[in-house]
Every structure is written in structure tokens, then in C-alpha cells.
Amino acid sequence: TMNKWTLIVPAGGVGSRMGANRPKQYLEIAGKPLLIYTLKALDQHFHQPKFILAMATEWVEYMLPFLNEAGLTERCTLVAGGKERYDSVKNALTEVHTPWVGVHDAVRPFVSQETVDRLCEGIAHHAAVIPVVGLKESLRKKTSIGTEAVDRSHFMNVQTPQCFHLEYLQRAYEIPFDETVTDDASLVERTGVTIHTVLGNDENIKITTPIDLILATQLVPTL
């Protein structure tokens, strides 16, 4: 069957929260960068999709041997990473020629097959599908006088890959960049499209802090 998926992985970021000497997507676990684990997981779960990597030029040479070794070079298109994540995705969109497109964080290597199966099922019936999980902690909201407890069952954590029929994501990226857009789904939602949610998986965390890296190091052998 013809592959219907292109996956955009914005990896242009220079992440500061980790405080390491390199962007977190290039931090190595067992001799391989996080980004490679992410790509390999997606490759397995989506059954050989096309990839578009938005990368800062200075990291391309570093990544090429890993892409080769993973057998991904043929299906990877590299585009310039932009100043903002928004710019990276917008650059990548010009290279998408499949009906369905997913956008996935470079530092989420632990998305599960079950999550991807639910997304694939959802995209057949909806313009936009994203994975979410419930909150585990109690939640409070700032008010004018202090804070108040809120019912956490009304909220959810959003994960990636966020998946769309191509034309809806393209239309959304005609909206100019602004700071309040935190992900692709919120941009698509502004065009009047309803966002369908499916269950994600708990280990599908974004590796952004030193404690996340400890978790990732424990989880990598399970891939």
C-alpha cells in the first residue's frame, strides 16, 4: 500500500532548560542521540513513513552517520530549522506530498505502538487527531486574590505526534506566528477545525529536564 504519512520532526531548537552543552535532541544515550531513538520509534510504529527533519545546519553532519546506520537517509528530507518551532514546521510543510501529516517532538522517543494505532484509526475519520493523557497531580489556578483548586478531570496533558489531513495544517500555517500558539493543534483549531483526541501513553514524555534524561536512560533499553 502507498504510504500515506509524512512525519515532520522539528529539531532546530537549542533547548536551554537542560543546561547541557548541546541541544537536548542530540544528547546521547548509549552512544546515540535522542533524536535517533525518536525517529526509529516513529519509523517502526508508522511502518516506514517519510520524514522531514528541520535542523540547524551545524548539526547535520553529526546526524548523517546515525541516519545512515538506522537506514533512514533515503526517507529523510532535511530542511533548515527556523528561529521558532513555528518557522521549522512551516519550512517543512513545503516538502510534504502525502495526504496525512504528523508533527512530533524530537525529544519524545517513547511514543507507543498503541498510541500510533489510535492516531491512525482517528485520522481516517477526523481532520485533526492528537494524543492526550489525564493529569495525575492536583491542580490550582491563579486568581486575582491568590489561588483556587480546580477539578483536574476537566484538563489533559497534550502529547505528540499531532496528526492532520495535510490541507488543514497548511491552511493553519497561513496564520502569522504569535507567542500564544503553543502547538500545532491550537493553530489548526483557530481555523475552525475540531481537534479529536485519543489516549496517549504515559511514557511518551518530552525529555526537557535533567530528571527526564534519567528516565530516558532507564527507558531506552526497553525500545
Side-chain angles (χ1 to χ4, degrees):
T1 57
M2 193 203 101
N3 162 52
K4 290 184 170 178
W5 285 104
T6 300
L7 302 177
I8 295 173
V9 182
V14 291
S16 49
R17 270 179 295 186
M18 191 69 82
N21 62 349
R22 57 173 67 193
K24 49 195 176 277
Q25 60 272 30
Y26 306 122
L27 289 172
E28 291 186 9
I29 297 176
K32 290 188 175 72
L34 267 179
L35 177 54
I36 276 291
Y37 292 108
T38 300
L39 294 173
K40 285 171 84 162
L42 292 171
D43 192 47
Q44 204 178 337
H45 303 332
F46 279 92
H47 310 300
Q48 302 203 314
K50 291 192 171 73
F51 288 103
I52 302 173
L53 288 185
M55 288 180 63
T57 327
E58 61 264 34
W59 285 96
V60 172
E61 207 175 323
Y62 163 79
M63 275 304 293
L64 285 176
F66 294 109
L67 291 172
N68 273 324
E69 186 195 5
L72 294 175
T73 319
E74 296 295 296
R75 282 180 289 117
C76 267
T77 302
L78 303 182
V79 298
K83 180 174 171 288
E84 302 283 346
R85 184 183 179 284
Y86 171 96
D87 304 305
S88 291
V89 175
K90 193 162 181 144
N91 286 350
L93 271 174
T94 60
E95 301 289 334
V96 181
H97 309 290
T98 54
W100 297 338
V101 58
V103 187
H104 188 64
D105 295 322
V107 289
R108 280 189 203 264
F110 306 112
V111 60
S112 72
Q113 183 68 63
E114 293 75 18
T115 294
V116 171
D117 289 346
R118 290 188 281 266
L119 290 165
C120 290
E121 198 181 329
I123 203 72
H125 306 102
H126 303 275
V129 191
I130 64 171
V132 297
V133 288
L135 301 177
K136 293 194 168 52
E137 320 248 0
S138 295
L139 212 54
R140 296 187 71 81
K141 176 183 169 181
K142 287 180 183 172
T143 65
S144 54
I145 55 166
T147 66
E148 64 182 25
V150 291
D151 180 354
R152 71 177 169 217
S153 70
H154 292 163
F155 297 90
M156 45 191 71
N157 275 320
V158 175
Q159 301 181 339
T160 69
Q162 299 189 355
C163 300
F164 310 93
H165 290 236
L166 176 60
E167 61 271 26
Y168 293 103
L169 191 58
Q170 283 173 329
R171 192 180 309 156
Y173 270 89
E174 287 165 17
I175 299 172
F177 173 73
D178 91 69
E179 301 283 313
T180 59
V181 176
T182 54
D183 66 351
D184 301 283
S186 55
L187 196 61
V188 168
E189 197 165 42
R190 289 186 185 190
T191 67
V193 171
T194 302
I195 307 299
H196 180 71
T197 61
V198 297
L199 182 65
N201 58 291
D202 279 334
E203 18 4 319
N204 186 21
I205 59 171
K206 197 172 176 183
I207 313 296
T208 53
T209 64
I211 198 117
D212 299 332
L213 196 61
I214 294 170
L215 273 171
T217 306
Q218 293 298 308
L219 287 170
V220 151
T222 67
L223 288 176

